[in-house]
Amino acid sequence: MTTSTDSVSESVSTVGTAAAQGDQLREQVHAAARRARHAAGELALATRETKDALLHAMADALVERTAEILTANERDVAAAREAGTPESMIDRLALTADRIVGVAEGLRTVAGLPDPVGEVVRGSVLPNGLRLQQVRVPLGVAGIVYEGRPNVTVDAAGLTLKSGNAVLLRGSSSAENSNTALVAVLADVLRSHGLPADSVQLVPCHDRASVRHLVTARGLVDVVIPRGGAGLISAVVEQATVPAIETGVGNCHVYVDADAELDTAVRVLVNSKARRTSVCNAAETVLVHRDIADRFVPVAVGELADAGVTVHGDQRFVELAGDSSYVVPAIDEDWDAEYLSSDLAAAVVDSLPEAIEHIATHGSGHTEAIVTTDVRSARQFTARVDAAAVNVNASTAFTDGGEFGMGAEIGISTQKLHARGPMGLPELTTTKWLTFGDGHLRP
């Protein structure tokens, strides 16, 4: 028989065990951060030639060890399917030989980019002879928190290493096998090039508390960058005491202006939505000017249906769409949805200002596009729409570090301080001032 005293003792013991495990996890994360800080000190001294050779060797190693990586990834994909994960999410998780080649090519592209470290941003000679230079330097230790996309593991490592930073990677437990295999490859190459393997480390992924320990490690971690859905981004930004860069929830819009060329508008919309539905730069809403709606809507609905896209339309859009099983009435929640699926919200608007107001109300500040032949409309749209990227007659899918010539990207920032839009090498640096004198004294 268990007495009340026994029950109290068991409860205290359970609490004590949980606290001890929490302390152990915190120390595990912080120990990794301390190792990363030491590694960052060595990376800051690495020359461009050293870093570029490292990235090329990493690219070669990933391709050479494709079978090993795919075996690990297959375990993650199988577990995800058994857990009932939607196919759109499995697509983000899955690797193929071609995708690994693509990731490797991203590293080679980054290797070919200018090294921002040491770049003189500005400089001058003061009247008293003092020489001033503001130069780019690495941030130090970057923490990346992301969901089930193992390609991010390599992209983040490549960009942080080229910019002289060490990186702590906190991926999803759903991609644990894939991420472990990828980091093992990268660490082996670091060792073979005489650089610290702790430059790229995985943070434990099975306990959400590890995220909290990472984003509150002030003095050990210099910046944290979340990549993923709205919940993950909000959790990181709200918990962080380390400086955080908010990246892109993508409620992206395509606005079809009254003066749009019909075929161009349809092609831009379908590519924006259907090229790859599970990414943050996929269009989630189309707004159509009333003067072109009767010609645009039936054609667009047909093309979207062929691509398997279901349109959630307002009353006017539904009426113009005719009898289509791929069109359903929209509800209020549709205007704010980041579907990341084969779904698209749609509305007919009376004017360009109404479209801009809709975007201001429901957009996430990621990417917005206008299709028009009217230069004045394009200028008004680009001037008034507040987003990290604004496209004219171009798919929202172009908002991407690779497409912008950055190689891979660390994320797409939707905030306005330090970095905005796709974040490449310069965005992973800060600056310091160098002052050169000859015994100068201030009077």
Side-chain angles (χ1 to χ4, degrees):
M1 177 177 179
T2 302
T3 66
S4 58
T5 303
D6 292 334
S7 299
V8 170
S9 298
E10 290 173 3
S11 297
V12 171
S13 176
T14 300
V15 171
T17 300
Q21 290 173 342
D23 290 342
Q24 183 179 20
L25 180 60
R26 177 180 180 276
E27 176 53 31
Q28 190 176 356
V29 173
H30 285 196
R34 286 190 289 271
R35 294 193 299 271
R37 182 155 293 281
H38 177 76
E42 295 191 41
L43 288 172
L45 301 175
T47 64
R48 174 176 180 175
E49 290 73 21
T50 297
K51 292 184 286 189
D52 290 352
L54 175 72
L55 294 180
H56 280 293
M58 286 180 166
D60 292 341
L62 288 170
V63 175
E64 290 167 4
R65 295 169 67 174
T66 292
E68 171 187 338
I69 296 166
L70 291 181
T71 297
N73 182 248
E74 286 166 5
R75 292 198 293 271
D76 290 332
V77 170
R81 284 211 165 94
E82 186 176 346
T85 304
E87 283 299 318
S88 60
M89 295 296 104
I90 290 177
D91 178 60
R92 296 164 74 101
L93 173 64
L95 293 173
T96 65
D98 286 344
R99 287 187 177 182
I100 292 174
V101 168
V103 169
E105 284 304 312
L107 289 179
R108 294 189 180 101
T109 300
V110 171
L113 297 174
D115 187 348
V117 178
E119 175 191 348
V120 178
V121 178
R122 55 180 167 169
S124 63
V125 179
L126 300 182
N128 64 5
L130 272 179
R131 291 185 296 116
L132 299 177
Q133 287 184 339
Q134 185 184 22
V135 300
R136 291 195 182 278
V137 296
L139 288 167
V141 177
I144 315 295
V145 183
Y146 56 106
E147 295 176 329
R149 293 182 63 183
N151 65 293
V152 174
T153 300
V154 180
D155 292 349
L159 286 167
T160 51
L161 290 171
K162 175 73 179 242
S163 53
N165 299 287
V167 64
L168 297 171
L169 300 163
R170 203 292 187 179
S172 168
S173 60
S174 65
E176 180 181 17
N177 294 301
S178 306
N179 291 338
T180 299
L182 291 167
V183 169
V185 173
L186 303 182
D188 286 346
V189 177
L190 280 161
R191 292 188 193 95
S192 69
H193 281 67
L195 291 170
D198 290 331
S199 301
V200 180
Q201 297 180 71
L202 289 175
V203 172
C205 61
H206 284 285
D207 190 331
R208 291 184 180 180
S210 65
V211 175
R212 182 177 71 253
H213 297 319
L214 176 64
V215 305
T216 58
R218 289 182 65 86
L220 296 175
V221 177
D222 295 291
V223 64
V224 291
I225 304 170
R227 287 191 59 170
L232 179 146
I233 293 168
S234 296
V236 169
V237 172
E238 291 170 6
Q239 291 184 44
T241 57
V242 170
I245 298 176
E246 187 168 354
T247 61
V249 173
N251 186 10
C252 306
H253 297 72
V254 174
Y255 166 60
V256 180
D257 190 42
D259 294 300
E261 198 281 318
L262 184 61
D263 180 64
T264 299
V266 172
R267 289 188 295 107
V268 167
L269 174 61
V270 173
N271 185 257
S272 295
K273 175 69 250 184
R275 175 189 167 273
R276 196 172 178 189
T277 61
S278 62
V279 291
C280 62
N281 59 19
E284 304 291 20
T285 301
V286 59
L287 304 172
V288 186
H289 194 287
R290 66 181 182 186
D291 290 349
I292 197 175
D294 60 342
R295 292 181 290 127
F296 173 83
V297 171
V299 178
V301 166
E303 294 294 325
L304 289 166
D306 288 344
V309 175
T310 297
V311 181
H312 302 246
D314 70 355
Q315 182 178 347
R316 287 193 288 181
F317 192 99
V318 171
E319 290 172 354
L320 291 169
D323 185 17
S324 172
S325 60
Y326 282 90
V327 179
V328 298
I331 59 175
D332 289 344
E333 288 77 7
D334 286 313
W335 311 120
D336 298 304
E338 185 188 27
Y339 293 113
L340 301 176
S341 64
S342 295
D343 293 272
L344 178 72
V348 176
V349 295
D350 293 328
S351 65
L352 171 59
E354 183 181 339
I356 292 171
E357 179 60 28
H358 182 105
I359 292 169
T361 302
H362 301 285
S364 60
H366 191 295
T367 302
E368 310 297 353
I370 180 174
V371 184
T372 187
T373 59
D374 187 327
V375 173
R376 292 170 300 177
S377 293
R379 286 177 178 168
Q380 185 176 357
F381 191 85
T382 57
R384 290 185 57 194
V385 168
D386 187 13
V390 181
N391 300 356
V392 179
N393 298 323
S395 170
T396 61
F398 282 108
T399 306
D400 174 85
E403 294 296 321
F404 281 15
M406 300 176 179
E409 68 185 22
I410 205 72
I412 297 175
S413 170
T414 54
Q415 65 183 38
K416 297 185 181 181
L417 296 180
H418 174 65
R420 196 179 193 195
M423 295 173 58
L425 296 172
E427 289 75 27
L428 289 171
T429 64
T430 183
T431 63
K432 69 168 58 170
W433 283 95
L434 304 180
T435 305
F436 301 93
D438 186 21
H440 281 66
L441 303 177
R442 181 174 175 175

